[in-house]
Amino acid sequence: MGRITLDKVRKAFGPVEVIPPLDLTIEDGEFVVFVGPSGCGKSTLLRLIAGLEDVSGGEIRIDRVDATTLPPAKRGLAMVFQSYALYPHMSVRKNIAFPMKMAGVPKDEQDRRIEAAAKALNLTDYLDRRPGQLSGGQRQRVAIGRAIVREPSAFLFDEPLSNLDAALRVGMRLEISELHARLKTTMVYVTHDQVEAMTMADKIVVLRAGRIEQVGAPLELYQSPRNTFVAGFIGSPKMNLIEGPEAARHDAHTIGVRPEHIAVSTEGGQWQGRVGVSEHLGSDTFLHVHDTGLAEALTVRVGGEVALHQGDTVWLSPEADKIHRFDADGLRIG
Amino acid sequence: MATKHSRAAARLMISPAVLLLLAWMIIPLAMTLYFSFLSYNLMSPGMERWIGFTNYQYFLTDPAFFAALTNTILLVVGVLIVTVIGGTLFALLLDQPFFGQGIVRIMVIAPFFVMPTVSALVWKNMFMNPVNGLFAHLFKALGLQPFDFLAQAPLASIIGIVSWQWLPFATLILLTALQSLDQEQLEAAEMDGAPWLSRFIHIMLPHLARAITVVILIQTIFLLSIFAEILVTTNGGPGTASTNLTYLIYMQSLLQFDVGGGSAGGVVAIILANIVAIFLMRMIGKNLEA
Ligand SMILES: Nc1ncnc2c1ncn2[C@@H]1O[C@H](COP(=O)(O)OP(=O)(O)OP(=O)(O)O)[C@@H](O)[C@H]1O
Ligand SMILES: [Mg+2]
């Protein structure tokens, strides 16, 4: 079981309130991802759940038990740190065994669990090495192994993949998702990576300055962002936000159209503009279109191979049913 | 990139300094070696003659030699134990955030700036004196018989004084080591269910191992040649109760004017110091590699 409930949880460092009172429920077995810009309090929130930081107010319940003042060890949670925080002077085996040793698990049971974890994480050949002799990805797996063997009621990850290179990140992302599918244990995962959030999460929590902006399934956030912040934050590249007369035509203060929902033509369309920089990714090309009179630049997604060059004139037409409308406070209309 | 030519020039340029340093070391060493084989007493000048290993024989069979050897070892080991344990405790304490941390840190480091002679005098006259010392007053206030530290426990008293001097050094090194410990490791251990003592034993102590080795190495080098503290407080006495090798050599050559015997003692001390150094280097080498 691993149901975590935050009830009006608040955190202040001295006079600075980093997290204003906040409510959140994480259901048992859910994969929840916290996203938000740097410094918005993602790590702090995770550390509050872990018990590494004391709350300034409110209540944290784990499996309906009040855990607000419980020390970290008693909460039954396991954490994977961004720097992995492996014990450098212990072998991989000892690292993984450490939490069990502290819990007084019998030796043969320890060995059994280490074997199982090592096999699941492809670490069998490295058990007698020191962390210093491992690659980043292997260290990451050791850190996960150390978390698994405790059989926690929930895993907490703080940007676990941010120190890895792009290829490895994709691999580890899959491994963690598979792990979740297999263990069905609650996972709380902090990241600022769009793709990680969208692909791994059952539920995404978007934070800004310690406040929850929106909670929902990845597609829900993508399809109906509750305000302009979430609209701009979820999706890559960012949604185009347009204000002024064009927005007023749609009875809104601001309208938003995602780059992938705009059709491009060299003959005619709704908005005229001039091509600026184009980013070729192979499968896609992102065009930055200027001089539309709507915004500084509009980003548009077109197919991989397009014959458009800087300075060319193009016409853009948004898909009518994919236009998001927001009011003066930035809140979604309809 | 240094060319062949510039390297040769560089060697030529530094050679005077190297030669000077070499002479500085080699000449006294050679003279000591030479004197150690002579019957050479300042009371009877002009009577020097070659006597082979007789000086060594006398020095090594002198009962004072074994007393001095034991005292040297006790002194070094005693001070090391006190400073390493005390230094670790102080470092743990100073690593905690508390009010007035900066001032307390400076005060803890202060004894290191006091000259050995001065600190030994202060300890002798102001603390350990059986009549006027603070400890004597304390004992009397408690209705106890004052304890004459330097007469009744001379070596232990000297160990105490020297430890007081070296504690700041150990504390400082260990504190910096402790501060370089990754906080996330401690937090991870906390999450893993390790109480404070386990965290200390399994995380902090291994992290400190390297710094502790450095403290032991550096202190041993200096502690083998403790002299001023003994001269000022006990003069090696009572009897030979607080005489170490350095002090014994001093007595031989300067109090008994026996340059030959003193030189032999000096050579023995050099050999012993080198044996210790080899052991320490082995230990350090192993600890610093990992
Ligand atoms: N110990 C502390 N004392 C004072 N302020 C702190 C402390 N820890 C964090 N903060 C502040 O709290 C805010 C949130 O920090 P936090 O580390 O949770 O951000 P984050 O969302 O994890 O950012 P990032 O994505 O960069 O890791 C920041 O403004 C930070 O300056
Ligand atoms: Mg963070």
Side-chain angles (χ1 to χ4, degrees):
Chain A
M1 280 293 284
R3 184 173 197 268
I4 302 169
T5 316
L6 307 185
D7 190 1
K8 306 227 165 20
V9 166
R10 197 179 78 82
K11 177 68 186 174
F13 290 109
V16 190
E17 189 169 65
V18 175
I19 295 182
L22 167 153
D23 295 308
L24 178 68
T25 303
I26 296 165
E27 297 296 342
D28 183 35
E30 225 171 15
F31 198 121
V32 175
V33 174
F34 293 170
V35 286
S38 188
C40 69
K42 306 182 292 289
S43 299
T44 308
L45 195 56
L46 199 70
R47 292 166 58 83
L48 286 173
I49 297 174
L52 293 171
E53 216 72 75
D54 292 325
V55 297
S56 311
E59 195 179 270
I60 297 174
R61 283 189 298 276
I62 299 174
D63 294 333
R64 297 200 175 71
V65 181
D66 182 3
T68 317
T69 53
L70 276 187
K74 297 263 156 57
R75 299 192 183 193
L77 309 174
M79 182 146 166
V80 175
F81 292 83
Q82 182 173 2
S83 67
Y84 317 139
L86 299 178
Y87 311 128
H89 51 274
M90 295 184 200
S91 65
V92 168
R93 184 189 300 279
K94 290 220 175 94
N95 260 287
I96 299 180
F98 189 73
M100 295 190 281
K101 193 169 145 194
M102 289 300 126
V105 175
K107 193 80 181 66
D108 46 340
E109 171 68 10
Q110 283 189 22
D111 289 339
R112 200 188 58 70
R113 286 199 216 166
I114 293 174
E115 288 308 322
K119 218 164 117 215
L121 294 165
N122 259 328
L123 284 171
T124 315
D125 295 340
Y126 308 107
L127 279 178
D128 295 311
R129 291 210 202 164
R130 297 263 182 108
Q133 299 162 319
L134 298 178
S135 74
Q138 289 162 345
R139 280 180 218 185
Q140 183 58 67
R141 286 205 287 267
V142 176
I144 295 175
R146 191 173 64 182
I148 292 178
V149 293
R150 290 182 51 198
E151 300 178 348
S153 56
F155 290 94
L156 310 176
F157 294 92
D158 192 356
E159 306 200 22
L161 308 186
S162 58
N163 286 343
L164 302 180
D165 68 53
L168 211 51
R169 205 143 58 203
V170 175
M172 285 305 298
R173 208 165 71 203
L174 270 174
E175 282 187 38
I176 294 178
S177 293
E178 279 164 10
L179 192 73
H180 179 245
R182 193 150 42 83
L183 299 176
K184 300 192 174 55
T185 311
T186 313
M187 292 192 175
V188 184
Y189 190 104
V190 166
T191 182
H192 52 237
D193 186 307
Q194 281 287 324
V195 186
E196 280 175 30
M198 294 298 284
T199 55
M200 301 170 86
D202 292 327
K203 185 157 100 183
I204 295 181
V205 177
V206 183
L207 292 165
R208 173 167 61 165
R211 254 174 254 278
I212 295 182
E213 294 290 320
Q214 189 170 4
V215 180
L219 279 184
E220 196 182 323
L221 263 59
Y222 176 82
Q223 284 161 354
S224 44
R226 214 178 66 191
N227 55 31
T228 47
F229 177 79
V230 178
F233 198 80
I234 298 287
S236 166
K238 283 175 64 155
M239 180 188 282
N240 298 299
L241 293 174
I242 299 162
E243 292 177 6
E246 184 62 29
R249 252 182 9 99
H250 291 85
D251 295 326
H253 180 266
T254 310
I255 56 169
V257 195
R258 296 198 182 275
E260 51 270 42
H261 298 148
I262 299 178
V264 181
S265 157
T266 46
E267 274 116 43
Q270 218 168 331
W271 303 326
Q272 188 189 4
R274 196 173 43 75
V275 176
V277 176
S278 40
E279 298 171 306
H280 297 276
L281 300 184
S283 59
D284 290 317
T285 300
F286 296 113
L287 296 181
H288 295 267
V289 180
H290 301 274
D291 301 334
T292 50
L294 304 167
E296 176 68 21
L298 295 183
T299 314
V300 193
R301 189 185 76 178
V302 287
E305 287 133 44
V306 284
L308 286 171
H309 302 283
Q310 191 148 12
D312 289 357
T313 301
V314 288
W315 282 268
L316 310 176
S317 316
E319 293 173 32
D321 57 338
K322 295 279 169 58
I323 296 176
H324 305 266
R325 301 184 305 136
F326 303 96
D327 66 16
D329 295 327
L331 290 176
R332 180 179 191 82
I333 305 172
Chain B
M1 261 296 279
T3 62
K4 222 176 208 172
H5 180 76
S6 75
R7 245 178 290 154
R11 286 207 189 115
L12 196 70
M13 301 293 215
I14 61 167
S15 55
V18 172
L19 287 178
L20 189 70
L21 276 176
L22 210 62
W24 208 278
M25 264 177 48
I26 294 289
I27 292 174
L29 185 64
M31 284 177 70
T32 309
L33 260 176
Y34 173 62
F35 289 155
S36 70
F37 293 108
L38 294 186
S39 162
Y40 181 4
N41 196 304
L42 292 176
M43 296 297 267
S44 40
M47 305 264 289
E48 297 86 32
R49 71 198 155 78
W50 185 267
I51 52 166
F53 282 94
T54 316
N55 279 329
Y56 288 95
Q57 203 181 331
Y58 273 100
F59 189 81
L60 291 175
T61 52
D62 184 352
F65 169 70
F66 278 101
L69 194 63
T70 336
N71 285 341
T72 309
I73 293 170
L74 283 178
L75 187 60
V76 171
V77 174
V79 175
L80 282 180
I81 290 175
V82 175
T83 49
V84 168
I85 294 178
T88 310
L89 294 179
F90 264 114
L92 287 173
L93 205 67
L94 293 182
D95 197 29
Q96 310 295 321
F98 57 88
F99 180 74
Q101 197 178 33
I103 295 196
V104 171
R105 277 188 190 170
I106 289 175
M107 277 175 32
V108 166
I109 290 155
F112 209 47
F113 298 118
V114 181
M115 281 175 279
T117 359
V118 175
S119 79
L121 270 177
V122 168
W123 275 94
K124 179 187 179 184
N125 295 324
M126 292 181 64
F127 290 103
M128 293 176 168
N129 188 297
V131 181
N132 297 317
L134 282 179
F135 290 143
H137 284 299
L138 189 72
F139 275 71
K140 272 185 258 177
L142 294 172
L144 297 169
Q145 197 58 232
F147 186 76
D148 190 352
F149 288 94
L150 291 170
Q152 275 156 299
L155 194 61
S157 304
I158 291 176
I159 290 179
I161 297 173
V162 176
S163 299
W164 180 81
Q165 283 172 357
W166 281 94
L167 200 54
F169 172 77
T171 306
L172 209 61
I173 301 256
L174 294 176
L175 179 63
T176 30
L178 207 56
Q179 284 172 338
S180 73
L181 175 58
D182 178 13
Q183 286 307 307
E184 284 200 346
Q185 269 180 42
L186 289 177
E187 287 177 348
E190 204 178 335
M191 296 282 310
D192 282 346
W196 189 88
L197 195 64
S198 302
R199 290 206 292 279
F200 177 71
I201 293 172
H202 294 290
I203 315 291
M204 293 187 207
L205 217 48
H207 179 78
L208 288 181
R210 209 176 281 197
I212 290 178
T213 340
V214 170
V215 168
I216 290 178
L217 177 77
I218 295 181
Q219 288 200 11
T220 308
I221 293 170
F222 284 92
L223 295 177
L224 278 172
S225 56
I226 293 275
F227 177 74
E229 291 84 346
I230 298 176
L231 181 77
V232 170
T233 53
T234 63
N235 269 314
T240 52
S242 60
T243 302
N244 69 351
L245 268 180
T246 326
Y247 198 79
L248 184 68
I249 294 163
Y250 159 76
M251 288 207 300
Q252 282 272 301
S253 44
L254 290 169
L255 297 184
Q256 296 167 20
F257 305 106
D258 181 1
V259 176
S263 298
V267 173
V268 170
I270 291 171
I271 292 170
L272 290 178
N274 273 294
I275 293 174
V276 173
I278 288 170
F279 271 108
L280 281 175
M281 283 323 225
R282 285 259 167 93
M283 181 174 106
I284 289 248
K286 233 175 63 192
N287 233 328
L288 291 190
E289 263 167 30

